[in-house]
Amino acid sequence: VTGVVGRAELLSSIFFLAAFLSYTKSKGPDNTIVWTPIAVTVFLVAVATLCKEQGITVVGICCVYEVFIAQGYTLPVLLDTAVQILRGKGSIPFSMLQTLLKLIVLMFSTLLLVVVRVQVIQSQLPVFTRFDNPAAVSPSPARQLTFNYLLPVNAWLLLNPSELCCDWTMGTIPLVESLLDVRNVATLIFFCFLGSLIVFSLRYPGDSSKTVLMALCLIVLPFIPASNLFFPVGFVVAERVLYVPSMGFCILVAHGWRKLSNKSVLRKLSWVCLAAVLFTHALKTLHRNWDWESEYTLFMSALKVNKNNAKLWNNVGHALENEKNFERALQFFIQATQVQPDDIGAHMNVGRTYKNLNKTKEAEESYMIAKSLMPQIIPGKKYAARVAPNHLNVYINLANLIRANESRLEEADQLYRQAISMRPDFKQAYISRGELLLKMNKPLKAKEAYLRALELDRTNADLWYNLAIVYIELKDPTEALKNFNRALELNPTHKLALFNSALLMQESGDARLRPEAKQRLLHYVNEEPQDANGYFNLGMLAMDDKKDVEAEVWMKKAISLQPNFRSALFNLALLYSQTAKELMALPVLEDLLRYYPDHTKGLILKGDILMNQKKDIAGAKMCFEKILELDPNNVQGKHNLCVVYFEERDLIKAEKCLVETLALAPHEEYIQRHLNIVRSKIASLGATEQPSLPADRTVTAAAEEKKNSIQNLKEVKHEQKNTQTTADKGYSKNKKRTEKNNVGKETPKKSTREIKDIEKKRVAALKRLEEIERILNGE
């Protein structure tokens, strides 16, 4: 900010000088008025004022120039003319009338600029805290004494700019609280010297007095807005407001040097002094340039000049924080709290840094201290208090910290509500509270919070996105999709809205929405080319459309970006198995089980392929036994293990296994039927002879497809697709959002086409089951 504001001052100074130079050409031959330079002057004054408010003071300099330089009047002459006119002994000279006309035009344009400026700020002055300008909120006489003492301080900076500081707020200059303070002597000397120069410039004619007068005008008039004379400003001292006054000071120094150099006795000495001044100031400028190398060097150089300014300690901490050097940043933030114990921002900085260092207990303590320094609500009493907007973030930061503890969610909600009560238009509080209410499973209240935030800012795409997540929680996908679309209207590249709206379209089961879902996912992967989730869901869409080759390409792309992508690996294997490429599925399943050894569905699919395609009974047995190690009550795994026993011609073990399986699922008829078939075989063939099952197709696939085709393999197709329903903060450059997906979750929601496919497979499975039962019965 220091650099940006300084550039605004420089830009204003350029137009300031241009306006003055233009006005000097407004006097024509025989004292006539040339209006074109005056019009240009008014325009340049407006531009200078837009750059910085001090630009408007050039009008005063033009008036002084017109009266005392262009017309050559002195104060005694003006007073004498005024007395003669008042006594009726004379009339106003024509040249003076022309001067008055020019001054009236300048004054009227100035008044118009002031009115426009007041309208821009809506008749309200900026809000400053007592840390910005402590004297402004001090009682008399400390207020007046301090403001007057600041004038010689600024004059000293012009005379001896050896100790420069980028920030002079807070406790930089202690208050002058008594008439007995020795610093009042500097104030008195300053006013005596300034008064003598004013008298000399206005009373006596000649070029010397005119030079001094213009120098004083350039020093005094542009400084008036920063002098706290008409209204308090947001700083104690600011070197940037001395840019234009330094021009007048240079004129004054140059005039004095010329006076000295014209005297033969002091001529050589004056040249030596001028060379020394130029050399020392050049060295100082070169050295100062290195201070501006970075934020860290700038604020560290300021601390060498002034260690009583907590803002400087905070700013060094911020510079280190930006470099992720949290340990050192914490030291400077803590020092800031020691220099200014009642600085809310410093305690907030300490809390935030502790949080970054994962020291939540210390972070909470710091936030609580900052909160205790905020104006406290007094029940039954109405009062007004000025609070810096950024200080209200203490409630947000503290709530965000403690809501990580599930038992303190109500406490966090109370903090959000307290922030809203102090500032009803605090948009971020509504956003954060909406997120918390979703976490507390209160979607209706979360909806109210987001709608209130939208009343404050309807152009925020993140708010529409978060509201869409709320509607997903409320089981209203139509409204959710509408809000996703509104977010994309405001921000067509909103990544999360692109991704989650595409998922919502995909899961709706409406085939008409699939092309748009695909376009959004393609847009998403164009924005996030390294995110495997986008390619994975493109693969899922292709599987829905029975575009197996395209689905394979997208799945492989997702796996290349994220080799341990659980759902992509499984669904690629499932795709191979559904397209009669079971042997190609095995390497993919090996990769899946290497990353996730406990992936039950992967083990089931692998066991089925080994059993039916590779005829590897031992390998299939290991898969099913692994399933039972992970989940002894897994009916599908246990039933398939029973089939393995039957394949191994161990009918007794197969019978025992099926009895145990039936105990786990007593309502499954196919298990009871298979048990009856095995028992009948045992009875008919005797205890010593155990025939084997036909090798072409086992009970594994049939039973699996009959019982679990809907609940298991087909479901895994939708792993990683459902969105979390946690809508986070909407902004900056510091704003959280809903996660794109939830790894490992499954959504049982199916499209109409999927349900038809499942029914077809179920019928086919029942037919195969009947064939196997006929084989077991010896038919």
Side-chain angles (χ1 to χ4, degrees):
V1 173
T2 303
V4 173
V5 175
R7 289 167 189 168
E9 296 277 359
L10 287 174
L11 195 61
S12 178
S13 301
I14 292 171
F15 291 109
F16 182 102
L17 288 176
F20 176 68
L21 291 174
S22 176
Y23 185 80
T24 59
K25 295 180 173 61
S26 64
K27 182 180 178 181
D30 300 326
N31 208 25
T32 57
I33 301 175
V34 183
W35 289 107
T36 302
I38 294 177
V40 173
T41 297
V42 172
F43 172 75
L44 292 173
V45 169
V47 176
T49 305
L50 289 174
C51 296
K52 203 66 181 173
E53 290 82 355
Q54 289 93 314
I56 203 169
T57 58
V58 71
V59 174
I61 295 175
C62 292
C63 292
V64 172
Y65 172 82
E66 177 67 29
V67 174
F68 295 100
I69 307 301
Q71 302 300 328
Y73 296 120
T74 60
L75 188 60
V77 172
L78 290 174
L79 291 175
D80 184 61
T81 303
V83 170
Q84 294 295 328
I85 293 171
L86 290 173
R87 289 179 178 179
K89 294 182 179 180
S91 60
I92 302 176
F94 180 73
S95 62
M96 191 171 288
L97 286 174
Q98 285 186 314
T99 301
L100 285 174
L101 179 61
K102 292 171 73 174
L103 296 182
I104 288 171
V105 170
L106 285 176
M107 292 299 181
F108 180 79
S109 61
T110 303
L111 182 62
L112 185 62
L113 285 174
V114 171
V115 170
V116 172
R117 183 70 179 101
V118 171
Q119 289 297 320
V120 169
I121 63 174
Q122 299 179 350
S123 303
Q124 291 183 346
L125 290 173
V127 177
F128 300 115
T129 66
R130 59 190 177 87
F131 302 113
D132 298 320
N133 190 353
V137 295
S138 300
S140 299
R143 176 188 174 100
Q144 291 75 20
L145 291 175
T146 304
F147 282 161
N148 282 288
Y149 172 68
L150 294 179
L151 300 177
V153 170
N154 281 278
W156 180 252
L157 281 175
L158 285 175
L159 184 64
N160 180 32
S162 60
E163 293 185 345
L164 299 177
C165 182
C166 61
D167 192 287
W168 294 79
T169 56
M170 303 188 101
T172 301
I173 298 177
L175 296 174
V176 181
E177 298 179 322
S178 170
L179 291 171
L180 300 179
D181 194 311
V182 69
R183 289 175 292 175
N184 290 319
V185 176
T187 305
L188 186 61
I189 294 172
F190 170 78
F191 277 110
C192 289
F193 182 71
L194 181 63
S196 63
L197 287 177
I198 293 174
V199 170
F200 171 77
S201 62
L202 293 177
R203 185 171 182 180
Y204 301 104
D207 292 340
S208 180
S209 61
K210 291 179 180 179
T211 303
V212 172
L213 178 62
M214 290 307 301
L216 287 176
C217 287
L218 284 170
I219 292 173
V220 175
L221 294 181
F223 185 75
I224 287 176
S227 65
N228 296 283
L229 181 62
F230 298 111
F231 47 81
V233 294
F235 52 84
V236 178
V237 174
E239 295 159 9
R240 55 186 169 79
V241 301
L242 296 176
Y243 288 159
V244 177
S246 66
M247 301 175 195
F249 180 74
C250 290
I251 293 174
L252 205 58
V253 171
H255 180 65
W257 177 83
R258 188 178 64 177
K259 288 284 187 182
L260 292 175
S261 63
N262 286 337
K263 296 181 179 180
S264 58
V265 178
L266 300 174
R267 181 173 299 171
K268 290 184 179 180
L269 180 61
S270 64
W271 280 102
V272 171
C273 291
L274 178 61
V277 168
L278 292 176
F279 180 73
T280 54
H281 280 67
L283 287 179
K284 177 63 179 177
T285 301
L286 184 63
H287 181 267
R288 183 62 173 165
N289 286 340
W290 287 109
D291 291 340
W292 283 81
E293 182 182 11
S294 65
E295 287 189 356
Y296 176 76
T297 56
L298 176 63
F299 294 123
M300 284 299 293
S301 69
L303 280 177
K304 295 175 184 177
V305 176
N306 175 25
K307 290 182 170 58
N308 295 322
N309 187 341
K311 188 183 289 187
L312 294 176
W313 293 98
N314 281 320
N315 286 339
V316 175
H318 287 312
L320 292 169
E321 189 178 31
N322 292 336
E323 297 174 358
K324 307 299 181 184
N325 192 345
F326 298 119
E327 292 287 352
R328 283 197 64 202
L330 181 61
Q331 298 174 9
F332 283 89
F333 288 142
I334 291 175
Q335 183 64 34
T337 62
Q338 294 173 354
V339 171
Q340 193 82 40
D342 56 350
D343 182 10
I344 298 173
H347 290 287
M348 290 172 63
N349 292 335
V350 173
R352 185 181 62 256
T353 309
Y354 273 130
K355 183 181 179 182
N356 289 331
L357 293 171
N358 296 319
K359 298 181 179 180
T360 54
K361 181 180 179 182
E362 292 84 349
E364 183 177 347
E365 292 174 356
S366 297
Y367 283 139
M368 291 300 292
I369 295 173
K371 180 174 173 288
S372 68
L373 295 172
M374 295 287 288
Q376 301 301 309
I377 297 175
I378 304 174
K381 183 179 179 181
K382 293 184 177 180
Y383 63 97
R386 279 191 171 184
V387 179
N390 62 310
H391 286 173
L392 287 175
N393 285 323
V394 67
Y395 297 102
I396 305 299
N397 295 343
L398 182 58
N400 290 343
L401 184 69
I402 67 175
R403 75 180 190 188
N405 186 340
E406 295 290 337
S407 63
R408 302 181 68 182
L409 298 182
E410 289 292 345
E411 185 181 347
D413 187 35
Q414 176 63 31
L415 288 168
Y416 290 135
R417 284 186 277 128
Q418 189 171 352
I420 292 170
S421 68
M422 297 183 73
R423 184 180 173 186
D425 62 344
F426 195 3
K427 179 177 62 179
Q428 190 57 56
Y430 291 107
I431 295 171
S432 298
R433 185 167 185 248
E435 172 196 354
L436 178 68
L437 290 169
L438 275 177
K439 188 175 182 179
M440 297 170 69
N441 198 25
K442 297 179 180 179
L444 289 175
K445 289 187 175 181
K447 176 183 172 183
E448 293 175 5
Y450 285 129
L451 289 175
R452 181 71 182 93
L454 282 169
E455 291 176 9
L456 301 172
D457 183 7
R458 297 191 67 82
T459 62
N460 189 323
D462 292 316
L463 283 175
W464 291 102
Y465 170 81
N466 289 346
L467 187 60
I469 298 301
V470 173
Y471 279 115
I472 289 177
E473 275 291 294
L474 293 172
K475 312 299 182 187
D476 191 346
T478 304
E479 282 299 317
L481 188 57
K482 288 181 181 178
N483 285 281
F484 279 138
N485 292 338
R486 185 62 188 273
L488 290 171
E489 289 175 8
L490 295 169
N491 181 9
T493 61
H494 194 293
K495 300 172 187 176
L496 294 177
L498 285 169
F499 185 87
N500 286 309
S501 62
L503 293 192
L504 198 61
M505 292 175 178
Q506 182 182 2
E507 293 174 355
S508 68
D510 189 346
R512 295 171 298 177
L513 295 177
R514 287 180 191 165
E516 178 62 22
K518 182 177 180 180
Q519 288 302 314
R520 294 190 181 186
L521 285 173
L522 287 172
H523 193 174
Y524 175 78
V525 298
N526 185 52
E527 294 290 328
E528 287 286 340
Q530 299 302 313
D531 187 0
N533 293 285
Y535 301 102
F536 167 73
N537 284 284
L538 280 168
M540 302 306 298
L541 271 177
M543 289 181 70
D544 290 339
D545 290 333
K546 304 303 179 186
K547 298 178 180 178
D548 299 330
V549 176
E550 182 181 341
E552 181 182 356
V553 171
W554 291 124
M555 290 296 181
K556 286 183 175 179
K557 178 66 175 176
I559 294 169
S560 68
L561 292 171
Q562 187 178 334
N564 64 339
F565 199 153
R566 174 185 174 120
S567 296
L569 287 167
F570 179 81
N571 283 287
L572 179 59
L574 184 61
L575 177 65
Y576 283 143
S577 69
Q578 290 176 344
T579 55
K581 299 178 182 177
E582 288 87 349
L583 297 182
M584 293 179 67
L586 279 178
V588 180
L589 288 170
E590 292 292 344
D591 290 338
L592 172 67
L593 295 172
R594 185 172 72 253
Y595 290 116
Y596 307 100
D598 57 348
H599 196 289
T600 303
K601 297 177 180 68
L603 289 167
I604 290 173
L605 184 57
K606 181 183 177 182
D608 181 64
I609 294 173
L610 291 175
M611 175 79 74
N612 296 294
Q613 303 299 322
K614 296 279 287 184
K615 309 302 180 184
D616 184 356
I617 305 301
K621 183 178 182 180
M622 291 175 61
C623 291
F624 300 139
E625 287 177 342
K626 177 67 174 179
I627 292 171
L628 294 179
E629 288 178 13
L630 297 170
D631 181 11
N633 297 324
N634 188 295
V635 175
Q636 187 178 4
K638 195 167 185 65
H639 177 269
N640 290 351
L641 185 60
C642 298
V643 176
V644 170
Y645 292 149
F646 196 90
E647 282 283 354
E648 292 176 341
R649 302 182 182 182
D650 192 343
L651 294 178
I652 301 300
K653 202 168 185 179
E655 179 192 21
K656 180 182 178 184
C657 178
L658 285 169
V659 170
E660 294 173 355
T661 307
L662 186 62
L664 294 174
H667 301 294
E668 296 294 346
E669 294 182 6
Y670 74 96
I671 299 176
Q672 181 64 60
R673 272 201 312 276
H674 293 171
L675 179 59
N676 293 338
I677 292 171
V678 171
R679 283 175 173 171
S680 66
K681 284 291 182 182
I682 294 173
S684 63
L685 301 177
T688 59
E689 186 177 357
Q690 298 180 7
S692 62
L693 281 171
D696 58 338
R697 183 74 176 173
T698 66
V699 181
T700 308
E704 177 186 354
E705 289 183 12
K706 177 188 180 299
K707 172 68 177 67
N708 298 299
S709 60
I710 295 178
Q711 296 179 347
N712 292 289
L713 297 184
K714 193 66 178 178
E715 281 186 344
V716 182
K717 177 181 175 184
H718 291 276
E719 285 189 330
Q720 282 198 322
K721 285 174 59 180
N722 61 313
T723 58
Q724 291 182 358
T725 53
T726 305
D728 271 313
K729 294 184 290 185
Y731 300 90
S732 127
K733 265 94 137 244
N734 15 110
K735 180 180 323 167
K736 288 162 59 184
R737 294 181 184 154
T738 303
E739 295 294 330
K740 292 191 287 285
N741 44 51
N742 194 357
V743 177
K745 282 194 177 181
E746 299 175 4
T747 54
K749 196 171 184 179
K750 305 294 173 191
S751 67
T752 305
R753 186 169 180 176
E754 288 172 343
I755 293 173
K756 290 180 179 178
D757 290 340
I758 291 169
E759 286 297 321
K760 289 179 182 178
K761 290 188 177 184
R762 187 179 67 82
V763 172
L766 289 173
K767 289 181 179 179
R768 287 195 291 273
L769 181 60
E770 291 173 359
E771 292 175 0
I772 292 172
E773 288 176 350
R774 284 197 297 271
I775 293 171
L776 291 174
N777 287 321
E779 296 177 4

